[in-house]
Amino acid sequence: MIIGIALIPVSSLSIYDDDSHYSALLGDVRVTIEYNHSVEHSEVIEILEVNSSGIYVRKMLWSDFGAGLPEDIQGMENGYYYKDIDQYIGKGFDYWFIPFNRAKIIVGNRTVLAPKHAELVKFRVGKCPLILIALRRC
């Protein structure tokens, strides 16, 4: 019976790069991506909501203007410009980070990944057996 339960596929979130892997059961999960903008050298914060239907961009915060940063601000919050976004981006995406970005991927309040070298970080929503989530292999 325990083996049967361990093999039940459930909705999961996986975030991984060449060195690290994070997996979690899905409900409504908040994912925050913090990084230094590689052109403007300023801090950017992207807030995502992840559930079994996929990944949604909910908000972006940034500290100055320039190449690749939004110009259509909606207000100020804690010293950052912000824009509320409600955009579905699918069940997966990849994000390229370089060391200068000093990127941190935070799930809830816990930093789960902080790439140290140039690499692709993958975000995936899918079904995975409970046992593989527990082993951080899905």
Side-chain angles (χ1 to χ4, degrees):
M1 183 169 169
I2 292 173
I3 292 173
I5 292 172
L7 296 176
I8 294 173
V10 294
S11 295
S12 65
L13 167 65
S14 294
I15 303 171
Y16 55 96
D17 61 16
D18 294 337
D19 303 318
S20 303
H21 194 111
Y22 171 82
S23 299
L25 290 172
L26 275 180
D28 283 329
V29 176
R30 179 182 169 138
V31 176
T32 304
I33 304 170
E34 298 179 355
Y35 60 94
N36 288 322
H37 193 274
S38 56
V39 175
E40 297 304 320
H41 300 198
S42 59
E43 189 174 5
V44 177
I45 301 169
E46 297 180 21
I47 300 171
L48 313 174
E49 181 181 314
V50 184
N51 58 43
S52 60
S53 67
I55 303 166
Y56 300 81
V57 179
R58 295 298 187 203
K59 188 175 218 172
M60 183 173 181
L61 300 105
W62 65 99
S63 56
D64 68 5
F65 294 96
L69 293 169
E71 296 177 2
D72 54 340
I73 67 170
Q74 292 176 327
M76 292 286 293
E77 181 178 300
N78 299 321
Y80 292 94
Y81 303 104
Y82 78 85
K83 178 179 180 179
D84 288 320
I85 305 167
D86 187 17
Q87 182 176 354
Y88 177 73
I89 58 173
K91 294 213 174 211
F93 71 96
D94 300 339
Y95 221 134
W96 179 257
F97 292 109
I98 59 175
F100 175 81
N101 295 133
R102 292 186 299 233
K104 290 191 305 187
I105 292 90
I106 302 161
V107 177
N109 294 319
R110 178 178 161 223
T111 300
V112 299
L113 204 65
K116 301 294 183 216
H117 53 82
E119 63 187 312
L120 196 61
V121 176
K122 298 177 181 181
F123 297 75
R124 301 288 184 268
V125 171
K127 295 281 188 181
C128 185
L130 279 172
I131 187 69
L132 293 181
I133 293 171
L135 295 173
R136 305 277 193 231
R137 296 287 174 226
C138 191

